[in-house]
Amino acid sequence: MIDLDTARQEVDSGPRNSFSAAFTELFDLQGSASLRRSGGEHHVTASCLVVDPTAEAVLLNHHRKAGLWGQFGGHLESDDASLRGAARREAEEESGLYPLDRVTATPIDLHVHDLSAAFGACTRHFDVVYAAQASTDDSPHVSDESFDVAWFPLGRLPENLMPDLPKRLPGLFRSAAEALISRG
């Protein structure tokens, strides 16, 4: 399982935004318990926005519990050595695209969001967002956690996106494309 120092370093390597202080506070208050689903109703998750920079498209999943479209992601597991690795694993498992070799070295976003009752004991996720590159020519597969998985051009996104994702997605896409292009 990822250790607290590694998680802090990865979060600190990401962009500073209005949620950065909330991550520091969570780590200070809950310590390593913040990295486990069983550690309390507020905990860290890892997600991955899969993009095709050439086609200006994003791969999204229609999440079964949320009933909305969003990026791939979820809870940290005992085998995860890093947040980046957890984000990659979640994207591979939920998209069926394996392996996703081009994953950003650092997070492209930090985000905190409250959850509906459908998520049970989890009430708030502190999400560390990475990005991965794939091609719209790649055929995704639907996992048990989703109703559907599909590519969407940025100009034609589905209507039922996760709250605030319509506002965030253009900036996330730009950050993902820049980070992935700079990796060569």
Side-chain angles (χ1 to χ4, degrees):
M1 176 64 136
I2 182 174
D3 64 73
L4 185 60
D5 288 337
T6 300
R8 282 185 191 268
Q9 289 169 2
E10 286 188 81
V11 167
D12 289 345
S13 72
R16 301 295 296 169
N17 66 22
S18 61
F19 296 115
S20 299
F23 276 84
T24 301
E25 184 177 330
L26 177 74
F27 291 149
D28 290 347
L29 289 174
Q30 291 182 220
S32 61
S34 65
L35 304 174
R36 294 187 306 275
R37 174 190 238 165
S38 63
E41 57 189 24
H42 298 177
H43 45 263
V44 174
T45 55
S47 70
C48 189
L49 180 66
V50 179
V51 302
D52 182 335
T54 305
E56 293 191 357
V58 293
L59 184 64
L60 301 175
N61 73 322
H62 191 185
H63 196 274
R64 194 170 293 278
K65 280 187 185 176
L68 301 167
W69 290 91
Q71 76 265 21
F72 305 99
H75 295 101
L76 309 180
E77 295 184 2
S78 60
D79 291 343
D80 293 326
S82 67
L83 296 171
R84 180 179 183 262
R88 177 182 173 174
R89 174 188 50 73
E90 287 286 343
E92 290 174 344
E93 289 175 358
E94 294 177 7
S95 73
L97 300 182
Y98 184 84
L100 288 170
D101 292 325
R102 293 185 48 84
V103 178
T104 55
T106 59
I108 61 166
D109 193 32
L110 302 175
H111 190 260
V112 178
H113 52 271
D114 293 329
L115 303 167
S116 72
F119 287 85
C122 302
T123 61
R124 179 173 289 164
H125 281 168
F126 289 69
D127 195 33
V128 183
V129 185
Y130 285 82
Q133 183 173 343
S135 169
T136 55
D137 293 334
D138 297 333
S139 298
H141 301 281
V142 179
S143 76
D144 292 341
E145 296 182 35
S146 304
F147 291 121
D148 197 7
V149 176
W151 284 102
F152 294 95
L154 280 179
R156 291 188 313 219
L157 297 170
E159 289 184 21
N160 51 342
L161 286 169
M162 298 278 187
D164 88 353
L165 195 54
K167 289 187 289 188
R168 293 174 51 231
L169 199 50
L172 291 175
F173 181 87
R174 281 191 305 277
S175 295
E178 289 169 8
L180 291 163
I181 289 168
S182 72
R183 286 194 69 210

